Amino acid sequence: MDGNGRWAASRGLPRLRGHMEGTESVRAIMEACVEAGIEYASFFAFSEENWGRSAEEVEGLMKLMMKAMKDELNTLLGNDIRFVVIGSRERLSKELTDSIDDLMAKTAGGRRLTMIIFLNYSGKWDIRQAAARLAAEGGTDIEPYLATAGIPDPDLMIRTSGEKRISNYMLWQLAYTEFVFTDTLWPDFRKQEFLAALEEFASRDRRYGKTK
Ligand code: IPE
Ligand code: MG
């Protein structure tokens, strides 16, 4: 999800207003996923690197996260959605981690869609923590130790706002993912834009390194 700040700046609004509008896009895409029969939807909400932003913005983002989780409980339950948060718990407030645990427990029975928020996540962190546990506990495969264990690798990754980078997202898991880049800023990315990305995905020829 990228472009919230630019969306706000282009309207002469504070960056946080862009993040607030962005949460509306999360809700819209979540609903579109349910309608489309998609089983897993991941949202990169806050990276390890995002701590480097102003204290005001970081605090605002954390508060927004808390509020969104409180507001969405009934929508999640009503749509049979399982809510999952992936990322390091380090530096997150107890209030926030308690809310996360509470929402994850309350929605654990959701079967229609698993909605994953990547919070305080980075792909290098994930590989590093998985490698450390693999070394300590043994085994030959790193995958069961990744923070995403049990969740299928993504088929499609969409990045908004015209940037064409991975920015330390799921470095391991994106190995054979199809990428769609759009100039649309995240707060403007709604159902119609999402369906267009799905259409582009449907036209891709996936060979996984093999011939046809
Ligand atoms: C939202 O967009 C992504 C988050 C890290 C919350 P940005 O805040 O990166 O928006 P731009 O890139 O400044 O426009
Ligand atoms: Mg950005």
Side-chain angles (χ1 to χ4, degrees):
M1 301 184 279
D2 202 2
N4 295 352
R6 278 163 284 170
W7 182 93
S10 73
R11 288 163 175 76
L13 296 169
R15 293 181 59 84
L16 214 51
R17 277 287 294 119
H19 296 314
M20 285 165 74
E21 194 63 24
T23 63
E24 298 298 325
S25 294
V26 174
R27 185 183 298 116
I29 302 312
M30 178 179 85
E31 284 169 6
C33 285
V34 170
E35 282 172 27
I38 288 166
E39 290 176 284
Y40 295 87
S42 304
F43 300 85
F44 197 5
F46 192 88
S47 73
E48 267 192 315
E49 291 78 13
N50 288 149
W51 292 108
R53 297 188 178 194
S54 74
E56 185 193 3
E57 183 168 354
V58 170
E59 224 164 90
L61 280 166
M62 295 300 162
K63 278 205 181 118
L64 197 58
M65 185 74 201
M66 287 279 295
K67 183 176 161 7
M69 287 196 298
K70 278 206 184 87
D71 291 349
E72 295 309 311
L73 172 63
N74 288 331
T75 313
L76 296 171
L77 292 174
N79 285 294
D80 200 16
I81 298 172
R82 175 166 71 122
F83 179 81
V84 175
V85 173
I86 287 182
S88 168
R89 289 286 174 105
E90 263 173 55
R91 300 182 73 171
L92 299 185
S93 72
K94 168 121 173 48
E95 194 190 11
L96 183 58
T97 56
D98 283 351
S99 296
I100 291 168
D101 289 339
D102 185 53
L103 195 54
M104 283 178 65
K106 282 182 174 143
T107 64
R111 287 290 169 268
R112 223 165 143 192
L113 169 71
T114 297
M115 175 186 186
I116 308 147
I117 301 292
F118 283 74
L119 180 69
N120 196 16
Y121 177 87
S122 82
K124 287 190 179 184
W125 163 80
D126 196 3
I127 293 169
R128 217 178 282 121
Q129 68 78 26
R133 285 167 58 209
L134 179 69
E137 294 169 31
T140 50
D141 185 7
I142 197 167
E143 288 203 346
Y145 293 100
L146 291 170
T148 52
I151 293 165
D153 289 343
D155 288 310
L156 167 64
M157 187 201 73
I158 302 166
R159 182 165 186 159
T160 56
S161 87
E163 310 294 357
K164 296 177 182 70
R165 293 186 284 275
I166 299 182
S167 296
N168 216 348
Y169 196 30
M170 297 190 246
L171 297 178
W172 178 281
Q173 298 86 339
L174 292 169
Y176 275 99
T177 300
E178 296 295 326
F179 288 10
V180 168
F181 295 102
T182 169
D183 288 339
T184 306
L185 303 175
W186 177 252
D188 292 326
F189 190 85
R190 298 289 163 93
K191 185 176 170 178
Q192 195 186 318
E193 289 73 22
F194 181 60
L195 294 180
L198 291 187
E199 213 161 288
E200 180 169 350
F201 170 77
S203 74
R204 301 281 175 86
D205 181 20
R206 303 185 80 190
R207 294 184 299 280
Y208 301 93
K210 303 179 181 74
T211 53
K212 269 251 161 124

